[in-house]
Amino acid sequence: MPREALVIGKTGVGKTAFVLGLAEFLNMKKLEISFLYPDGHKRAEEYRLDHAKRELIGSKRHRTRCLQSIAIELPAGKGKKILTITDSPGLVDGIHEREEVRRAMAQTLGAVRRADVILHVVDVGDFIGDRERGTEEVDKQIAEYASLKGGYVILANKMDLPGAAGGLQTVMDEYIGRQVIPVSVLQKKGFVEVKAFVWRYV
Amino acid sequence: MEIKWQFDRDQARQPDQVLEAVEKGNISAATAVGFFRQIERPVGAHSEAEETARKRLQDIMQELDALIGLGTVKKLISEIRAFVEIQKRRVSEQLATEPLVLHMIFKGNPGTGKTTVARIVGKLFKEMGVLPKGHLIEVERADLVGEYIGHTAQKTREQIKKAMGGIFFIDEAYSLARGGEKDFGKEAIDVLVKAMEDHKDQLILILAGYRDEMDWFLRTNPGLRSRFPIIIEFPDYSLDELLEIADCMLRIRQYRLNQEARQELRAILARKTNGGHEHNGNARLVRNIIERAIRRQAVRLVIQNEITREELIVIVDADIEEAPAGA
């Protein structure tokens, strides 16, 4: 049974960019991405890495709206193991007015319960200067819940931002006692540590 | 606005209902995750142990935060904590790490919180697994230096043994270097340096003292300077901070100052901090005045026939007196 690492966090923190950055770090040129929609139907499509980056990251048009998984094959003894890295739609605080957003979030929450490893991405920029913007309720709840499961780590993303070191400090203070890995997709930093972490749980 | 969604014992067994409530817009994602926590038990004793350790770490950081003033000190301790944490993670991932040299110099006038912070640092390092015990042994020159050849080494080694596994705090450390050639202080320093080498992961040294004297001490002992990478300055407390400290001390003992007493205290402290006397005792001065005030209040009240509960609590300006010199 494949092991699943779920990438979660608020909207806009860089989850999709991170997942694709990880794929790039693992030298995957071609990805098979499985899209799992809230209503249950699935679609699989093969992407070249650079195409995936263009298609899936960032603009309002292509915000992650369903679970997107990439499968990674790992050598294991005589055979091989499959690790699934699942990117998810962002979580928001409060109750969203649009049903499709709520359904996407419910789907993500279901995946949280199933996942073997949880990679909780936060944007270190939210923790620079004005602390208030940093940890939202949903992040706190996830940290409390997911850390009971063992395979849980916080990825402090966007470490390339000016003032990131201070932000990282604040993240560590907010999530005291949790494991935090500083990451920058732009500068390709942190992937060694993340890989080491995830691979332990596979 | 969130509709109150009752958490039902029966529905507790059906997380799907929780997800449905999210879809329907009855509850937020945060609430849903909260319900998941209630549904699932922690996985094994391992997680519980981690939770208690985490809580202990949190308590220690809160203790540090609760200290009045010391903004830069707190920030630096936070940075050290983060550095140690990251190095630990790197070790567990078999990555190259920086060696953990955590010996420190604390510079500042008496009564500025050096020993208090040292004690907290000890507890912190124990929780983080940097030190096995994390207790604090505080000594000064007299505890280390002997009267004849060999005596110093013996005394110093005895103290080091007591401090093993924790923090070895040496107050007025510069006094070890003050004497001339025949002074045994140097012997103590040599023993200390050897101990720092031989017991790298069991002992952390904190040398403390007045800023100028410590600067001189490090200048004249360049070999030492390189062994103490962490230098923390403890500034004198401001007038407002001293008053906050007084309030804190009284609150813990369930006393409080009335208006006139507060003004009298402020006036005394203002005189002391403006007086130009560098070594005016800081928080210790405040504690002396407060403890004296508590005694004076007792003397004042004990001769009364009837004492109200209110009177037992309030400190009046007659109770506040500048501590006599040398007290």
Side-chain angles (χ1 to χ4, degrees):
Chain A
M1 173 130 156
R3 304 287 265 170
E4 186 175 5
L6 178 68
V7 181
I8 56 171
K10 284 176 2 193
T11 49
V13 295
K15 298 182 290 299
T16 308
F18 169 76
V19 172
L20 295 178
L22 185 62
E24 186 170 25
F25 170 74
L26 296 170
N27 283 321
M28 298 171 73
K29 303 278 192 304
K30 283 220 198 87
L31 307 172
E32 180 161 304
I33 304 185
S34 307
F35 297 88
L36 175 61
Y37 294 89
D39 61 6
H41 93 265
K42 266 190 184 174
R43 172 170 75 89
E45 205 171 306
E46 204 177 71
Y47 280 81
R48 274 193 11 249
L49 183 64
D50 46 356
H51 182 216
K53 281 181 173 178
R54 277 199 309 273
E55 274 284 305
L56 302 174
I57 297 177
S59 65
K60 274 200 153 66
R61 258 189 319 141
H62 293 289
R63 230 179 225 166
T64 313
R65 291 189 193 290
C66 63
L67 297 177
Q68 296 168 177
S69 303
I70 59 175
I72 302 172
E73 267 179 27
L74 306 168
K78 293 219 173 81
K80 59 181 187 215
K81 274 198 235 186
I82 310 265
L83 167 67
T84 310
I85 310 236
T86 303
D87 184 15
S88 63
L91 295 172
V92 297
D93 267 353
I95 302 178
H96 203 277
E97 56 192 10
R98 286 174 50 209
E99 191 190 344
E100 57 185 62
V101 176
R102 296 198 304 263
R103 294 183 75 195
M105 292 206 308
Q107 192 193 20
T108 302
L109 293 175
V112 167
R113 298 194 63 236
R114 282 195 317 261
D116 299 303
V117 182
I118 296 200
L119 306 175
H120 185 177
V121 184
V122 299
D123 179 349
V124 92
D126 287 340
F127 293 83
I128 299 174
D130 181 5
R131 238 176 199 253
E132 304 274 321
R133 282 177 306 144
T135 320
E136 295 199 21
E137 188 56 33
V138 68
D139 285 312
K140 286 200 197 101
Q141 287 293 337
I142 290 172
E144 295 289 327
Y145 171 70
S147 63
L148 295 174
K149 287 175 154 254
Y152 173 74
V153 68
I154 294 168
L155 305 185
N157 193 23
K158 307 194 190 175
M159 285 301 296
D160 41 276
L161 291 174
L168 175 64
Q169 184 82 341
T170 309
V171 171
M172 293 184 75
D173 286 339
E174 286 281 313
Y175 292 96
I176 193 166
R178 315 287 182 198
Q179 188 168 349
V180 177
I181 300 179
V183 169
S184 162
V185 178
L186 229 55
Q187 296 174 337
K188 305 195 206 285
K189 288 193 177 146
F191 289 105
V192 173
E193 291 83 353
V194 174
K195 177 183 170 193
F197 178 87
V198 175
W199 265 228
R200 272 216 307 267
Y201 290 90
V202 176
Chain B
M1 195 178 62
E2 187 160 330
I3 302 163
K4 204 84 201 297
W5 193 69
Q6 292 299 345
F7 181 61
D8 193 335
R9 275 281 146 217
D10 290 334
Q11 290 176 317
R13 293 187 203 109
Q14 287 134 45
D16 291 340
Q17 301 235 346
V18 175
L19 294 181
E20 204 181 301
V22 171
E23 284 185 20
K24 288 208 180 114
N26 289 337
I27 58 172
S28 69
T31 308
V33 179
F35 283 144
F36 288 160
R37 273 172 65 203
Q38 291 178 51
I39 290 170
E40 292 175 35
R41 304 283 165 260
V43 181
H46 177 62
S47 299
E48 281 187 35
E50 278 186 349
E51 275 301 302
T52 5
R54 196 182 67 82
K55 182 101 203 343
R56 276 204 304 267
L57 197 58
Q58 203 165 43
D59 288 342
I60 296 171
M61 290 313 286
Q62 269 169 21
E63 197 186 331
L64 181 66
D65 258 333
L67 297 179
I68 290 162
L70 297 173
T72 319
V73 175
K74 290 174 187 171
K75 191 154 161 281
L76 204 50
I77 302 288
S78 237
E79 280 175 25
I80 294 168
R81 197 199 98 222
F83 174 71
V84 170
E85 189 70 43
I86 295 290
Q87 295 307 308
K88 271 168 65 190
R89 298 301 172 197
R90 291 177 64 94
V91 164
S92 67
E93 303 303 340
Q94 286 156 344
L95 290 166
T97 52
E98 311 294 311
L100 275 182
V101 183
L102 296 167
H103 303 296
M104 308 184 192
I105 305 278
F106 282 9
K107 298 197 273 193
N109 288 335
T112 48
K114 300 192 288 301
T115 315
T116 310
V117 169
R119 195 164 282 122
I120 293 178
V121 166
K123 290 201 270 190
L124 182 69
F125 284 167
K126 162 145 199 305
E127 258 346 287
M128 300 192 71
V130 172
L131 284 173
K133 282 165 73 180
H135 62 299
L136 179 79
I137 294 291
E138 190 180 348
V139 300
E140 44 179 42
R141 184 194 148 96
D143 299 307
L144 303 176
V145 174
E147 283 108 49
Y148 47 85
I149 293 184
H151 193 200
T152 299
Q154 185 193 349
K155 281 177 87 165
T156 306
R157 280 199 205 105
E158 259 169 42
Q159 294 295 341
I160 289 175
K161 213 162 126 189
K162 281 197 219 160
M164 201 59 76
I167 304 260
F168 196 24
F169 184 91
I170 303 175
D171 206 2
E172 309 216 333
Y174 44 79
S175 60
L176 292 173
R178 253 198 196 137
E181 265 187 31
K182 291 261 168 78
D183 187 67
F184 294 123
K186 261 240 91 221
E187 207 177 308
I189 296 178
D190 293 336
V191 174
L192 286 173
V193 168
K194 185 161 193 312
M196 283 162 78
E197 291 286 340
D198 294 344
H199 305 285
K200 272 200 180 97
D201 51 356
Q202 298 243 37
L203 196 62
I204 288 182
L205 247 70
I206 298 185
L207 305 184
Y210 295 108
R211 189 190 58 204
D212 291 341
E213 278 81 343
M214 290 307 292
D215 284 343
W216 166 84
F217 180 57
L218 293 174
R219 255 200 325 274
T220 54
N221 289 275
L224 275 182
R225 197 178 211 300
S226 57
R227 297 178 190 274
F228 290 86
I230 300 172
I231 301 183
I232 306 187
E233 287 215 29
F234 287 73
D236 286 350
Y237 289 110
S238 69
L239 181 55
D240 286 329
E241 284 168 346
L242 288 175
L243 285 166
E244 235 187 293
I245 289 174
D247 272 332
C248 207
M249 286 178 176
L250 288 167
R251 204 174 23 242
I252 293 178
R253 293 151 142 129
Q254 293 186 299
Y255 283 92
R256 69 176 169 79
L257 300 169
N258 71 2
Q259 267 290 54
E260 293 85 11
R262 179 178 297 280
Q263 277 161 11
E264 178 65 19
L265 181 60
R266 178 174 260 277
I268 293 176
L269 292 175
R271 260 203 310 279
K272 288 283 187 174
T273 52
N274 286 338
H277 189 327
E278 283 176 35
H279 312 156
N280 59 29
N282 272 287
R284 234 167 258 163
L285 169 70
V286 170
R287 188 176 63 212
N288 289 342
I289 296 178
I290 295 296
E291 286 181 352
R292 204 168 150 68
I294 289 177
R295 288 197 301 271
R296 286 167 68 82
Q297 185 230 43
V299 165
R300 174 172 57 82
L301 291 179
V302 85
I303 53 175
Q304 284 179 204
N305 278 331
E306 284 170 20
I307 311 173
T308 66
R309 191 170 193 274
E310 179 77 3
E311 282 173 314
L312 286 173
I313 297 174
V314 175
I315 303 275
V316 305
D317 64 331
D319 301 326
I320 303 278
E321 190 190 62
E322 197 166 319

